[in-house]
Amino acid sequence: YREGSYLPSEAELARTYGVCVSTVRKALSMLNELGFGKTFNAKGTLVILQDEKSAAECMKNKHYRQDTLLYLSGLQLMAIAVRPAALLAFPCIGSRALEDLAQQMQEPGCIPLDCLVSCVIDHLPLQPLRHILQETKNLLVWGYYFSFFEEGHQGADTLTEKSLAAYHSLCQGDKKAFAVQLSDCYCHILEFVRAFMADFGLPEAGRLITPAWDIPPA
């Protein structure tokens, strides 16, 4: 939902997501508290973007602090784990999978990084690593970073550029570059969100280091 638009009614949201209206109201209340929505009587909930003041207020809540640190730790884990996963999955990603991926990348609202990592997970031969990546991806999708971008994959933001570089490496058959560039995407998100949250009430975020690789891609 774009900034400045209104969310559907509580009843419509409840039908869409298969939950009761009271659950929708709790979710809307959380959006208001997080600074991503403002509910008006008889008008509904207006979509807004979180500003610095609301971010700082959220960090006074221990549950939001814990959630944010969990999210950042998940980014750190994915930055480490996605590189070997991409190397393992690469030989299993055939022409049909590349065609499907190309089609997904053209769909409105897609996030290129999410499509690429889903492709890696689907073709991983190592089941335990597949499970770890899937659970971590579920934690990260539509997290704090993506909320800053109104235009989705159409925007010329740094993450889109890095993701497309990884996609092109995959299409060109450059396994090592593909793996490193995927990892770099998560390093970028980690650094972006870490700096933002450290500045606005979560100094613990600064202790999470960005993974570094000693061996560059060939």
Side-chain angles (χ1 to χ4, degrees), residues 32-70:
N32 277 264
E33 189 175 357
L34 287 170
F36 287 115
K38 187 171 181 61
T39 301
F40 299 93
N41 290 334
K43 292 184 67 176
T45 299
L46 178 69
V47 178
I48 58 178
L49 287 180
Q50 189 184 55
D51 57 22
E52 297 171 0
K53 181 179 178 181
S54 58
E57 284 298 316
C58 286
M59 289 304 101
K60 295 178 182 179
N61 182 306
K62 68 176 184 179
H63 297 294
Y64 293 148
R65 291 174 71 90
Q66 292 171 353
D67 287 346
T68 303
L69 287 172
L70 177 63

Side-chain angles (χ1 to χ4, degrees), residues 81 84-85 88 124 126-134:
L88 284 171
L124 259 177
L126 193 59
Q127 184 65 33
L129 182 55
R130 180 189 298 180
H131 182 74
I132 290 170
L133 259 66
Q134 184 61 60

Side-chain angles (χ1 to χ4, degrees), residues 74-204:
L75 287 171
Q76 189 183 50
L77 173 60
M78 187 65 92
I80 296 170
V82 78
R83 181 171 176 171
L87 292 173
L88 284 171
F90 190 92
C92 304
I93 302 175
S95 57
R96 178 60 184 273
L98 288 176
E99 291 174 5
D100 292 342
L101 184 60
Q103 184 174 353
Q104 293 171 23
M105 298 281 275
Q106 298 301 318
E107 294 177 359
C110 92
I111 299 294
L113 178 58
D114 185 46
C115 293
L116 289 169
V117 175
S118 293
C119 182
V120 168
I121 292 172
D122 290 343
H123 293 86
L124 259 177
L126 193 59
Q127 184 65 33
L129 182 55
R130 180 189 298 180
H131 182 74
I132 290 170
L133 259 66
Q134 184 61 60
E135 291 301 313
T136 307
K137 188 174 87 71
N138 291 343
L139 173 70
L140 299 179
V141 171
W142 310 117
Y144 289 90
Y145 184 87
F146 292 131
S147 66
F148 288 92
F149 297 96
E150 296 180 79
E151 303 301 327
H153 73 300
Q154 299 298 332
D157 58 85
T158 303
L159 181 61
T160 298
E161 293 172 358
K162 289 179 178 291
S163 302
L164 291 178
Y167 172 65
H168 293 318
S169 293
L170 173 63
C171 294
Q172 293 166 4
D174 192 335
K175 177 171 68 174
K176 291 184 179 179
F178 172 60
V180 171
Q181 287 162 345
L182 271 187
S183 176
D184 187 46
C185 288
Y186 285 103
C187 289
H188 169 70
I189 304 174
L190 173 61
E191 291 174 349
F192 181 96
V193 182
R194 181 182 63 198
F196 182 85
M197 302 315 301
D199 287 343
F200 297 105
L202 192 64
E204 302 96 316

Side-chain angles (χ1 to χ4, degrees), residues 83 180 210-217:
R83 181 171 176 171
V180 171
T210 302
W213 305 102
D214 296 329
I215 304 175

Side-chain angles (χ1 to χ4, degrees), residues 24-36:
V24 171
R25 287 175 180 165
K26 289 178 182 178
L28 295 177
S29 176
M30 182 177 290
L31 284 179
N32 277 264
E33 189 175 357
L34 287 170
F36 287 115

